[in-house]
Amino acid sequence: MFNRKLVFYFLLFFFIAGQVTPVHAAAAVPKIYSQYAVVMDANSGELIYTKNQDKRWYPASMTKVLTAMILMDKVSSGAMMTASKNAVKKDASNSYFRLKAGEKMSREDALNALLILSCNDVAAMIAEHIARSESNFSALMNKKAKEIGAKNSHFVTPNGLHSSKHYTTTQDMALITREAYLKYPEVLKAMGTKSAVVRTSKRTVKLTSKATFHGMPYVIGGKTGYTNAARNSLVEIVKKGNTTLIGVVMKSTKSYAVKDIAAMTNYSFSMMETIQPVAAGQTAATINVRNTQVPLVVQNGISFSTKKDSSLPITIKNSFPRTPITSIAIGQPFGEVTVWKNGRMVGSSPLISTVEVNEPAAR
């Protein structure tokens, strides 16, 4: 009988024996033009491809991924924001949608304008609405980046307009984008949207992104960046099968940024494989029900994609309800097994009984 939750931890610092399925044959390591680059496994945060990944450079409008997450953290759905005289003076990112002082936008419309059309004035409006000034907002940006794990970044502007003190690394930018992918579905959706209609207090406008990554195979979202100082930058989220990768390049050209990420991610997919640390029917635990040993087996196998020869730890946890039981049927669920890679859950399955234990007969 169990009257409390039991959790068993098995830390596996080696590949668990089980079925292993290669994703692709290994490809040659690509040589790219972009000066700074990285590909990260979105599932675990593990780096697959690197080139000067810890060198600081200017992210330009990739910054807006971080601004978008803070927007979702700090502003309620449907809340309206007002463009100030300062916000509308920001350098234009496009020729047809510029805010006017006093114009209002909802959180949802601002998110789309920020990530589809990369509006610098919208970014400034968001910053002022949340923190009253861009300088105050930069403190929130740096706090958020630090919480995510970005160790070599410092953000000054909400839009990525140039400042010598505004910098990141491709590794940090991949971590920031991974956070958006894992925890901010609205941000991810906007990053993958090519065209949307937005409404302000004064007009309704259809916004369309010119970013070429929208036509690339397997790309589910991205964000471009450019300033004269930074040159071209790009982050993409690329999904193929059960593998999702995040590719980032900085100090590139418009055409090479797209080509390089395609080459980097194609190579990185070839360096991944699917493993099954927990198989269906495998006995995961044994419990005692009225002095009877009851084996619990895994109902559904758990598989996930990982870097070949990864050294990151895999953890398997069994957990059980607090409620005590005095009987159990064959096939009855009791508890759950979960699999974790580098601290993030990558799969789960119910545990089911293989033995029947009946209630005691009434007297």
Side-chain angles (χ1 to χ4, degrees):
M1 182 186 301
F2 280 77
N3 56 11
R4 62 188 176 89
K5 186 176 181 180
L6 302 178
V7 182
F8 299 96
Y9 299 92
F10 304 94
L11 291 178
L12 308 179
F13 292 94
F14 49 85
F15 273 109
I16 299 172
Q19 183 177 354
V20 178
T21 305
V23 175
H24 288 86
V29 179
K31 295 180 180 179
I32 62 170
Y33 172 86
S34 304
Q35 299 304 298
Y36 311 100
V38 78
V39 176
M40 177 180 288
D41 175 14
N43 186 45
S44 66
E46 194 163 13
L47 302 185
I48 314 298
Y49 177 93
T50 60
K51 178 183 177 181
N52 298 322
Q53 76 280 0
D54 56 357
K55 301 295 184 182
R56 295 173 177 176
W57 192 247
Y58 313 120
S61 284
M62 291 193 302
T63 300
K64 289 164 183 157
V65 176
L66 180 58
T67 297
M69 289 191 287
I70 298 174
L71 169 66
M72 303 311 291
D73 287 341
K74 301 293 185 180
V75 180
S76 301
S77 177
M80 301 298 289
M81 294 171 283
T82 304
S84 69
K85 291 180 180 179
N86 172 67
V88 302
K89 292 178 182 178
K90 300 301 175 184
D91 291 348
S93 64
N94 67 93
S95 60
Y96 67 95
F97 184 74
R98 296 293 308 277
L99 288 176
K100 298 176 176 61
E103 196 166 6
K104 300 178 186 295
M105 293 186 80
S106 70
R107 181 187 78 167
E108 290 70 26
D109 287 319
L111 178 66
N112 279 331
L114 182 72
L115 294 178
I116 295 174
L117 210 56
S118 200
C119 296
N120 295 322
D121 48 4
V122 172
M125 177 185 69
I126 291 168
E128 291 174 345
H129 178 84
I130 292 172
R132 299 194 175 187
S133 72
E134 292 178 80
S135 60
N136 288 343
F137 189 77
S138 70
L140 295 179
M141 297 175 76
N142 289 311
K143 181 175 183 290
K144 181 76 170 178
K146 185 176 180 181
E147 290 170 352
I148 292 168
K151 299 177 180 179
N152 290 298
S153 299
H154 185 260
F155 296 96
V156 176
T157 68
N159 39 38
L161 290 174
H162 184 67
S163 165
S164 61
K165 296 180 180 179
H166 185 102
Y167 55 81
T168 189
T169 66
T170 54
Q171 182 171 347
D172 280 359
M173 195 66 229
L175 284 170
I176 290 167
T177 305
R178 177 175 179 254
E179 184 82 356
Y181 168 74
L182 293 176
K183 299 180 182 179
Y184 292 83
E186 299 94 341
V187 174
L188 177 62
K189 181 180 178 181
M191 291 177 70
T193 300
K194 181 176 177 63
S195 184
V197 173
V198 302
R199 295 169 177 82
T200 75
S201 57
K202 296 183 178 182
R203 51 190 160 147
T204 299
V205 183
K206 183 177 181 180
L207 308 183
T208 301
S209 170
K210 294 182 179 179
T212 56
F213 66 75
H214 286 293
M216 297 296 292
Y218 310 113
V219 177
I220 63 172
K223 184 70 193 78
T224 59
Y226 176 84
T227 66
N228 288 335
R231 311 315 294 168
N232 289 88
S233 59
L234 177 63
V235 56
E236 289 181 3
I237 304 168
V238 188
K239 182 177 177 63
K240 185 185 294 187
N242 66 344
T243 302
T244 302
L245 303 176
I246 296 168
V248 186
V249 294
M250 294 195 298
K251 199 176 183 181
S252 189
T253 68
K254 186 175 182 180
S255 61
Y256 271 118
V258 175
K259 292 176 183 177
D260 286 350
I261 287 188
M264 290 157 46
T265 54
N266 284 339
Y267 163 77
S268 297
F269 279 120
S270 77
M271 299 304 295
M272 303 293 287
E273 63 185 0
T274 298
I275 68 170
Q276 187 179 63
V278 177
Q282 174 182 326
T283 300
T286 300
I287 61 173
N288 186 299
V289 180
R290 294 183 52 245
N291 296 320
T292 299
Q293 298 299 302
V294 178
L296 298 175
V297 301
V298 177
Q299 186 174 46
N300 307 307
I302 301 174
S303 302
F304 64 94
S305 177
T306 185
K307 181 183 177 183
K308 294 176 182 177
D309 300 324
S310 172
S311 62
L312 294 180
I314 296 170
T315 307
I316 299 175
K317 302 179 184 180
N318 295 337
S319 60
F320 303 97
R322 293 177 180 272
T323 307
I325 60 170
T326 56
S327 66
I328 194 167
I330 294 175
Q332 178 179 330
F334 188 79
E336 181 183 53
V337 58
T338 55
V339 177
W340 303 70
K341 175 73 181 289
N342 199 30
R344 177 176 178 262
M345 190 174 78
V346 294
S348 65
S349 172
L351 297 175
I352 57 174
S353 172
T354 58
V355 172
E356 182 176 31
V357 179
N358 295 317
E359 292 280 0
R363 294 183 180 180

